[in-house]
Amino acid sequence: MKTEWFKNAVVYQVYPFSFRDSNNDGWGDIEGIISKLDYIKDLGATAIWFSPLYKSPDYDYGYDIADYKAIDEKFGTMQDFERLVDECHSRDLKVIMDMVMNHSSIEHPWFKEAIANPESPYRDYYIIRKGRWKKDKLLPPTNWISSFTGTAWERIGETDEFYLHLFCREQADLNWENPEVRREFVEILNYWMDKGVDGFRFDVFNMISKVYPFADDFDKKAFQRGGRFFIDGPRMHEFLKELNEKALSRYDSYTVGESYHPSREAALAYVRKSNKELDTIFDFNHLDADNIDGKKFFWKPFDLLQFKKGLFEPQASTYGCGWNTLVLENHDTPRSVSRFSIDTRHYRYEAATMLATVTYMGFGIPFIYMGQEVGLTNCQFDSMDELKDPVSHFVYDLMTGYGMPKKLAFSFLKYGARDHNRVPIAWDDSVNGGFNEGHETWQKVNPNHKEINVAADLSSEKSIYRYYQQLLKIKRTDEAAIYGETVEYDHANRKVIAYSRQYNRRRLFVVGNFSKSTVRYELPVWVRDADILLDNYPGLEWKGSGVVLKPYQALIFEEKQV
Ligand code: GLC
């Protein structure tokens, strides 16, 4: 029976490598997570999404899984995990696991067997094709490129065959046409749900169905060469329905799919309730409002209109037929307060609380990335050596390979690198920010941890965490905040974002100033005598029939009931 508990859920994302290191070995671990569950609960979260905890050689930090049914030793044991589930449940926190189904690690026994033995049935678990001889040169089967730069095909030893990898070459794409692969994943999902897991976040899910026959791609406008062969493929809906029927629907589960550049129609079909596929997907379009064409390293001045379009479109299309998610950060993005042309130095509290208000008061489930609730900022990186994410290096090599000066390439990386959000959480101003007891950490600790850390925020008069608590309480309990329809106001305004949420007779109005200047804003007539439900500045200044919004000021009004 589906209770649809997700509708007023608040999800907190933990990236286990960097949350809390309990045994002082430099890596975060399960015990460390357990020690901070009260902190997550007190914030107002109702569920936790754990980035991969599975056994992995970590070429892509957990997203290359070598055993889908085992917990990686560096994080703890299976008993530790089971205790984590119990500890979450005893606090009424749901457990959402990450699940990477598009590819496995090349160290997975399936892949090892497939390569070692050409007759093995595991050969057909992967996508293996013959290369093409051009004179005496062996070229990959197609010209597709990996999401992580370079060809998407890796030659198998000295043979003339290649395997497909749409990400790192250590992440081999699985062949979902093979019913055995689908059977494995049905079994894996059931295995974890039997352990009490309440839901899954499906990694790049809309790439599992490929388009056959394979061919070169010459679409110049495509986001990624080859994309039309592996994004929203023809069997996507069938595969998702199968997972639903044989696994997900048997439990009171919740799913969120991380979609990779889906078409609008496909995105809606995945979450249309009547289709019985996924409960929600992530839509990241609004997060591209400060980069060029979704290429997150290429910075451009923040475009609020683009942000609004990306934020509101999925709310409108899913309303009434499905459900939506609301995201500001995750382990693949930089810190939100360090983006969007924000003046973080002077207005970190105001900007962090404004961003949360205008994003999370929309229609959908708030997803909060660890550390965001205290306004952690990007990390000061001084050299490429300090970046651990392989993608940072691939992109840097690509840029410098094309002749871009190293300094310039590094400056792009410093803007968009995923590493920013992967550094250890600064809990206090002690050694290593209290992430551990002083052992060298797997990834640099942010040098600003002396000033910006969880303890400092909690003891500050202007605490971002405490603001989040109030905001999330509204999100969990206010009917209009949960079920209301979103109506946007003043779309063309380049400084202010504004919308209402209405459910039955209850109406809220949300407004936020995205600029560091004071802006006079004309409130809609019905809001003028409304009450203030929440604001990030004390008091409100009126000027005639309008209000004067201070830098990054945000407010939620509730209409007076007559
Ligand atoms: C998703 C993950 C990302 C990972 C990629 C490949 O985008 O969020 O961290 O690198 O998939 O698995």
Side-chain angles (χ1 to χ4, degrees):
M1 242 292 281
K2 288 270 251 185
T3 60
E4 300 192 322
W5 54 264
F6 59 84
K7 288 190 170 170
N8 68 342
V10 170
V11 184
Y12 187 87
Q13 183 190 352
V14 168
Y15 188 68
F17 288 89
S18 297
F19 195 55
R20 160 89 190 140
D21 170 16
S22 74
N23 61 353
N24 199 32
D25 66 353
W27 305 89
D29 48 49
I30 292 176
E31 197 56 49
I33 299 171
I34 293 175
S35 72
K36 296 291 182 188
L37 288 179
D38 288 335
Y39 169 83
I40 299 174
K41 175 72 186 175
D42 288 349
L43 177 68
T46 63
I48 307 181
W49 149 29
F50 297 99
S51 276
L53 289 160
Y54 315 98
K55 187 172 168 181
S56 165
D58 295 333
Y59 289 103
D60 190 22
Y61 293 96
Y63 286 89
D64 46 325
I65 298 174
D67 184 344
Y68 287 87
K69 293 185 186 163
I71 295 296
D72 197 281
E73 269 174 33
K74 66 183 169 298
F75 296 133
T77 62
M78 186 58 89
Q79 285 71 32
D80 295 332
F81 175 77
E82 285 163 359
R83 202 157 65 77
L84 173 65
V85 174
D86 288 346
E87 295 280 353
C88 285
H89 286 166
S90 69
R91 291 170 176 82
D92 261 336
L93 289 164
K94 304 274 189 195
V95 174
I96 299 171
M97 293 284 270
D98 222 304
M99 185 49 70
V100 186
M101 304 189 292
N102 179 67
H103 43 263
S104 80
S105 161
I106 56 168
E107 293 189 19
H108 195 293
W110 299 335
F111 189 78
K112 285 190 178 164
E113 176 64 20
I115 296 303
N117 173 10
E119 301 308 314
S120 157
Y122 288 110
R123 194 94 178 159
D124 196 34
Y125 271 43
Y126 294 91
I127 299 176
I128 295 174
R129 290 285 185 285
K130 278 202 180 341
R132 297 174 293 185
W133 285 103
K134 203 168 176 196
K135 298 213 174 105
D136 51 0
K137 218 173 150 213
L138 186 61
L139 300 177
T142 66
N143 68 350
W144 307 349
I145 56 166
S146 139
S147 307
F148 289 171
T149 74
T151 171
W153 296 94
E154 180 72 11
R155 188 171 176 186
I156 304 178
E158 290 299 298
T159 70
D160 61 355
E161 289 187 310
F162 291 73
Y163 67 86
L164 180 69
H165 62 90
L166 295 177
F167 293 87
C168 283
R169 63 177 198 83
E170 292 84 1
Q171 295 165 301
D173 275 56
L174 286 155
N175 175 19
W176 275 71
E177 301 294 317
N178 180 349
E180 281 303 302
V181 169
R182 304 203 294 276
R183 187 191 53 73
E184 297 274 9
F185 278 99
V186 163
E187 202 182 297
I188 291 163
L189 297 182
N190 281 318
Y191 172 84
W192 289 104
M193 287 189 291
D194 282 342
K195 286 196 182 289
V197 164
D198 304 285
F200 296 96
R201 175 257 188 197
F202 289 152
D203 190 70
V204 292
F205 80 94
N206 62 328
M207 297 169 105
I208 59 178
S209 162
K210 303 328 193 233
V211 179
Y212 297 89
F214 292 172
D216 280 337
D217 187 11
F218 297 105
D219 182 357
K220 289 235 157 39
K221 280 198 271 159
F223 179 78
Q224 185 178 339
R225 197 164 67 207
R228 67 190 173 91
F229 290 94
F230 49 76
I231 296 172
D232 300 327
R235 298 186 70 187
M236 271 314 309
H237 301 299
E238 181 193 334
F239 294 161
L240 291 173
K241 285 187 168 68
E242 184 176 343
L243 293 178
N244 226 296
E245 189 197 314
K246 298 183 179 162
L248 301 165
S249 65
R250 302 187 172 186
Y251 301 79
D252 189 13
S253 70
Y254 162 68
T255 48
V256 54
E258 185 213 20
S259 55
Y260 188 84
H261 301 274
S263 72
R264 250 302 105 241
E265 307 75 65
L268 187 56
Y270 296 135
V271 300
R272 193 184 287 282
K273 198 173 158 188
S274 53
N275 282 0
K276 297 198 167 61
E277 295 182 20
L278 299 174
D279 294 310
T280 52
I281 62 167
F282 289 135
D283 202 312
F284 300 129
N285 286 333
H286 59 302
L287 300 183
D288 286 330
D290 65 347
N291 66 40
I292 299 168
D293 284 343
K295 308 267 188 301
K296 58 186 180 185
F297 300 98
F298 293 111
W299 177 87
K300 76 172 185 202
F302 177 63
D303 178 350
L304 180 58
L305 300 196
Q306 189 182 340
F307 183 89
K308 293 185 193 183
K309 185 167 182 284
L311 188 68
F312 292 127
E313 252 178 18
Q315 296 185 39
S317 62
T318 53
Y319 193 76
C321 62
W323 213 258
N324 187 44
T325 61
L326 302 163
V327 182
L328 267 173
E329 292 179 24
N330 59 38
H331 63 293
D332 295 332
T333 68
R335 287 291 178 189
S336 53
V337 284
S338 301
R339 311 176 58 174
F340 309 136
S341 305
I342 283 171
D343 178 355
T344 314
R345 230 159 74 95
H346 299 102
Y347 297 108
R348 193 170 58 88
Y349 168 84
E350 291 75 9
T353 49
M354 180 279 291
L355 282 172
T357 309
V358 301
T359 306
Y360 295 145
M361 280 306 291
F363 168 62
I365 306 166
F367 275 74
I368 298 153
Y369 182 72
M370 61 179 202
Q372 189 195 311
E373 73 282 3
V374 292
L376 295 190
T377 62
N378 275 355
C379 184
Q380 169 69 45
F381 290 114
D382 299 322
S383 72
M384 278 306 290
D385 297 343
E386 292 182 343
L387 305 187
K388 300 286 177 238
D389 179 11
V391 178
S392 299
H393 292 270
F394 298 149
V395 171
Y396 180 80
D397 291 348
L398 186 76
M399 288 174 172
T400 52
Y402 275 110
M404 185 186 282
K406 288 185 173 166
K407 225 172 141 186
L408 182 60
F410 186 47
S411 77
F412 284 123
L413 264 301
K414 284 210 277 192
Y415 190 74
R418 309 198 292 184
D419 303 76
H420 288 298
N421 267 10
R422 298 178 176 196
V423 303
I425 292 293
W427 292 100
D428 53 41
D429 62 3
S430 66
V431 61
N432 288 342
F435 169 66
N436 64 10
E437 308 304 319
H439 187 287
E440 192 190 340
T441 52
W442 76 279
Q443 164 71 296
K444 175 177 182 167
V445 176
N446 197 329
N448 72 10
H449 73 268
K450 292 257 176 246
E451 298 82 51
I452 301 182
N453 59 61
V454 173
D457 182 80
L458 293 178
S459 61
S460 161
E461 236 168 75
K462 293 202 300 189
S463 162
I464 300 170
Y465 182 95
R466 281 204 302 280
Y467 183 91
Y468 262 71
Q469 285 180 317
Q470 298 178 55
L471 177 72
L472 297 175
K473 184 161 181 215
I474 297 171
K475 250 331 264 204
R476 290 191 318 268
T477 55
D478 188 302
E479 278 201 329
I482 303 166
Y483 301 104
E485 181 163 9
T486 306
V487 177
E488 189 189 0
Y489 282 67
D490 291 315
H491 178 76
N493 192 320
R494 293 188 170 274
K495 289 189 170 165
V496 176
I497 179 169
Y499 57 91
S500 66
R501 300 285 316 279
Q502 180 166 9
Y503 188 68
N504 293 334
R505 301 187 64 79
R506 181 162 173 77
R507 195 150 51 143
L508 304 175
F509 187 73
V510 181
V511 59
N513 176 6
F514 248 96
S515 76
K516 67 169 174 177
S517 46
T518 301
V519 178
R520 187 176 172 281
Y521 188 73
E522 196 72 30
L523 290 174
V525 177
W526 66 270
V527 184
R528 288 181 200 161
D529 61 351
D531 294 323
I532 295 175
L533 191 57
L534 186 66
D535 59 4
N536 63 352
Y537 272 86
L540 185 59
E541 190 188 325
W542 289 85
K543 209 172 202 176
S545 55
V547 288
V548 181
L549 296 174
K550 307 226 168 52
Y552 307 106
Q553 184 164 14
L555 295 121
I556 306 171
F557 294 90
E558 58 179 333
E559 191 175 18
K560 273 206 173 68
Q561 295 295 316
V562 276

